[in-house]
Amino acid sequence: YSLLETGLAIGCISTEPKPMRGCTASPLGRMRYRLVACASFRQQHFANGLSRNAARKAPVVAYTRKDSLTSSFLLRHLGLPEGAYPCHYVPGSEPHFGAIRYGLGYGMVPELLLHDALADGTVVDLARDAPLDISLYWHTWKVQSPRMENLSRQIVEAAPRILARPTEP
């Protein structure tokens, strides 16, 4: 979003529903996240289930310091504020998921990445009844080149095949 704002990008996907001046924001859908860990991590840290006391000691794996998915979940469901538990930062979708798969910690991972890993037991869902749905929006400038208009149209048309339906405002 900030790169679009500074003119360094011509489009971006964001969680922000409101377009900035001179831009449009099109709803793409919702990406579902699950709180997961590898089985050995769960056994070591959450043998008796996900609890406030256990979560205070178990390390979280987040993308970056700006990633608030797991911290929001822990605050909402267990009342744990950020900083009340250890946290590792591993940027990049695959490295982040790899760190969780190999037991460095637990965290939120897009459900799109989890199907095989959940099915084969590589990871386990720590909060099966509490997925986190994040609405996504395609932002781009109102005045676009024909190529960019085509790209924007393709992104907005492809999103429903991958993401859950957008929620109504």
Side-chain angles (χ1 to χ4, degrees):
Y1 196 78
S2 63
L3 292 177
L4 184 64
E5 194 170 41
T6 61
L8 295 174
I10 54 175
C12 71
I13 295 174
S14 171
T15 58
E16 175 59 49
K18 185 178 176 193
M20 62 184 194
R21 195 164 70 192
C23 289
T24 62
S26 303
L28 296 175
R30 296 183 324 272
M31 183 172 288
R32 176 160 280 184
Y33 287 80
R34 297 281 181 179
L35 187 67
V36 297
C38 72
S40 61
F41 186 91
R42 180 185 64 183
Q43 185 59 38
Q44 180 182 355
H45 295 280
F46 300 112
N48 297 318
L50 183 65
S51 69
R52 180 181 169 88
N53 190 45
R56 290 178 71 88
K57 299 172 189 158
V60 165
V61 177
Y63 292 105
T64 65
R65 293 188 188 281
K66 290 182 179 181
D67 175 10
S68 63
L69 292 175
T70 307
S71 60
S72 296
F73 180 94
L74 293 175
L75 182 60
R76 185 178 319 112
H77 293 279
L78 300 176
L80 284 177
E82 200 168 336
Y85 43 85
C87 186
H88 304 296
Y89 300 100
V90 182
S93 295
E94 281 302 318
H96 174 262
F97 187 31
I100 291 170
R101 265 195 320 258
Y102 297 116
L104 185 62
Y106 72 108
M108 295 300 248
V109 174
E111 195 173 74
L112 291 169
L113 296 178
L114 291 173
H115 293 293
D116 292 340
L118 284 170
D120 69 16
T122 302
V123 297
V124 291
D125 193 334
L126 298 173
R128 185 175 258 134
D129 296 330
L132 178 63
D133 290 336
I134 303 295
S135 294
L136 299 175
Y137 303 86
W138 172 246
H139 291 259
T140 192
W141 296 102
K142 284 182 181 175
V143 178
Q144 300 180 43
S145 69
R147 262 193 181 154
M148 191 60 199
E149 284 179 8
N150 185 38
L151 175 64
S152 291
R153 188 182 70 258
Q154 288 178 24
I155 289 170
V156 171
E157 288 174 1
R161 293 191 297 268
I162 300 165
L163 303 171
R165 295 184 65 103
T167 53
E168 297 300 319

